Amino acid sequence: MDASEIKEIRDLMDFEKARKAPPEGFPKFPDMPAGRYTSQEFYDLEKKNYWSKVWMLAGHMDEIPEIGDYKLWELSGQPVVITHGDDGKAHAFFNTCSHRGAPVVKEAYGSAPAGLACGYHGWTYNYEGDLISLRDRRDFVDLDMSCRGLFKVKVEQFGKLIFVSFDDDAVPLREYLGPVANQLEEFGFDKLRLANHYVWDLKCNWKIAMEANMEVYHVKSIHPETVDAGLDYRANVNTLYNNGHSRMVAPNLIDGDVVYRSPPRQDHIPFNESVTEIGCTCTQSYHIEPNFVSPMGPTLFPILLFWPMSLNETKYELYWVAADWGEGDMPAEFNAAMDYFNVVITEDTQFGDWIQKSVESYAFSGVPLCYQEARIYHAHESIDRTIGLNKVPEDLRVAQVLGDEWTYPNDDKERLRQHFDKAAAE
Ligand code: FES
Ligand SMILES: [Fe+2]
């Protein structure tokens, strides 16, 4: 982030802090239908027409560090194996043998020095998914091995992060990320190490779980002892990007004062020097469609993912990534930071099953969102656009009220102009 972008964000924070209402012309959100969290029809539409088209974070190269390593990845609901290929890159395929569909791997993680061998009749594939050997080939008439590789899944890396899409026509990952891709560069994803990784179950729709991490309106109520003390939520700046992505930036506080310089560094804690002022002194968090939420920073930070298992069951996956701590164990402070964050997660997830019961109840018809919750509405608009507006039944649809007018790069300039015009007039 260069000096002019940093200044623009600081100016926007001043504006957000001082405003008495949403910016001039900001739309009133129609209530979002409760059915978006409770309707099997909507869930099936999401599965068929949304999850099948987006880019999803499927792993980190540290999970498969050596050539021939693999991981089984089924959180998307599809059986996929991801390998570390001879070219040093990640490759992905359906875990579905081209003979009669048996799995080529069965463990969550492993290494296959002799290739991926199907346990049923022994067909064997290389790390790029090509069929390289089969027993008793004489018994097959005219079998063209070159057409019998594992069915490939589109895969691209952003540094060490592995993204997968089931859509052969998906645009390249960087194009999908849009302006967010350049913003992520300074966080050094090509070097960040995997510090921890775990998954647990929640009893609510995946969007209910994710949306707890897409606004700061809840901070005062849910996090009075934790996040609230360290974050000036009323100065938060939301930016909406194409494809439903968004960013929030809120100044961090120490003893009630906004932080303008990162705290003094400690030699034993690795620090990513390419992270600029905002990333070092603010909570700079991204939502990347469909289910990626991450407050990024210069040392250690989490990436949260929310996977639908059914209409009201979600797997919450957490990747912790960190600047390289060199040989030996990671600093104790990282473990302490992860323990602290577990408290915050417990606070954030505490209402998921309650809310699910509410939205399923007779009482609930829709969700009225406010300006601070715009990133949630923006994501829902994008879900409907990706599914296809005409495919979503009218009673389950959200109106497209944000549109380009409130999407980057239009929003920031417009809000700043109004702010400074007003200040000049007073
Ligand atoms: S099903 Fe895999 S070799 Fe037969
Ligand atoms: Fe929270």
Side-chain angles (χ1 to χ4, degrees), residues 155-227:
V155 59
E156 278 197 48
Q157 287 178 231
F158 192 88
K160 289 166 96 175
L161 300 184
I162 304 163
F163 284 84
V164 156
S165 174
F166 293 115
D167 181 3
D168 285 340
D169 298 325
V171 297
L173 178 64
R174 291 195 75 98
E175 194 180 319
Y176 176 76
L177 294 173
V180 170
N182 284 342
Q183 294 178 25
L184 297 194
E185 287 298 345
E186 70 177 61
F187 294 96
F189 282 95
D190 52 336
K191 297 188 196 70
L192 292 180
R193 282 174 68 174
L194 185 60
N196 214 336
H197 174 226
Y198 38 100
V199 179
W200 67 98
D201 296 304
L202 298 175
K203 287 197 171 114
C204 61
N205 185 269
W206 69 278
K207 300 187 294 302
I208 288 174
M210 184 173 76
E211 288 161 10
N213 301 279
M214 291 174 68
E215 45 89 359
V216 283
Y217 185 34
H218 70 268
V219 165
K220 275 247 168 279
S221 307
I222 275 196
H223 307 298
E225 308 291 326
T226 53
V227 182

Side-chain angles (χ1 to χ4, degrees), residues 96-104 117-125 131 133-135 140:
T96 307
C97 178
S98 299
H99 179 216
R100 279 166 55 198
V104 292
C118 176
Y120 203 173
H121 314 92
W123 286 26
T124 301
Y125 305 84
L131 178 62
S133 69
L134 73 157
R135 197 168 58 242
F140 287 89

Side-chain angles (χ1 to χ4, degrees), residues 384-399:
D384 283 6
R385 282 199 300 276
T386 304
I387 291 174
L389 294 181
N390 56 349
K391 291 200 181 89
V392 183
E394 212 174 325
D395 59 331
L396 294 173
R397 218 180 281 162
V398 292

Side-chain angles (χ1 to χ4, degrees), residues 77-96:
Q78 297 287 319
V80 171
V81 56
I82 299 172
T83 60
H84 185 138
D86 290 306
D87 58 359
K89 295 185 179 149
H91 297 262
F93 330 95
F94 282 87
N95 185 26
T96 307

Side-chain angles (χ1 to χ4, degrees), residues 195-339:
N196 214 336
H197 174 226
Y198 38 100
V199 179
W200 67 98
D201 296 304
L202 298 175
K203 287 197 171 114
C204 61
N205 185 269
W206 69 278
K207 300 187 294 302
I208 288 174
M210 184 173 76
E211 288 161 10
N213 301 279
M214 291 174 68
E215 45 89 359
V216 283
Y217 185 34
H218 70 268
V219 165
K220 275 247 168 279
S221 307
I222 275 196
H223 307 298
E225 308 291 326
T226 53
V227 182
D228 186 43
L231 186 86
D232 189 359
Y233 82 97
R234 284 170 67 90
N236 177 54
V237 175
N238 286 335
T239 309
L240 313 177
Y241 300 97
N242 279 337
N243 292 333
H245 314 316
S246 62
R247 180 187 70 190
M248 62 151 281
V249 186
N252 290 342
L253 301 173
I254 293 182
D255 297 332
D257 294 325
V258 170
V259 184
Y260 288 99
R261 278 208 200 99
S262 57
R265 295 180 201 169
Q266 294 169 272
D267 283 346
H268 67 290
I269 297 184
F271 195 94
N272 181 356
E273 298 293 339
S274 60
V275 178
T276 54
E277 179 192 312
I278 295 293
C280 290
T281 63
C282 301
T283 298
Q284 180 174 344
S285 182
Y286 288 86
H287 167 242
I288 297 171
E289 277 215 340
N291 63 343
F292 174 122
V293 177
S294 179
M296 297 176 187
T299 57
L300 166 87
F301 63 86
I303 300 172
L304 290 51
L305 298 156
F306 302 87
W307 301 102
M309 294 294 113
S310 74
L311 191 51
N312 51 17
E313 292 169 302
T314 295
K315 290 226 183 268
Y316 187 154
E317 183 179 31
L318 188 48
Y319 280 95
W320 280 101
V321 291
D324 189 357
W325 59 87
E327 299 290 316
D329 296 338
M330 72 172 102
E333 285 85 348
F334 281 4
N335 285 312
M338 290 190 275
D339 287 346

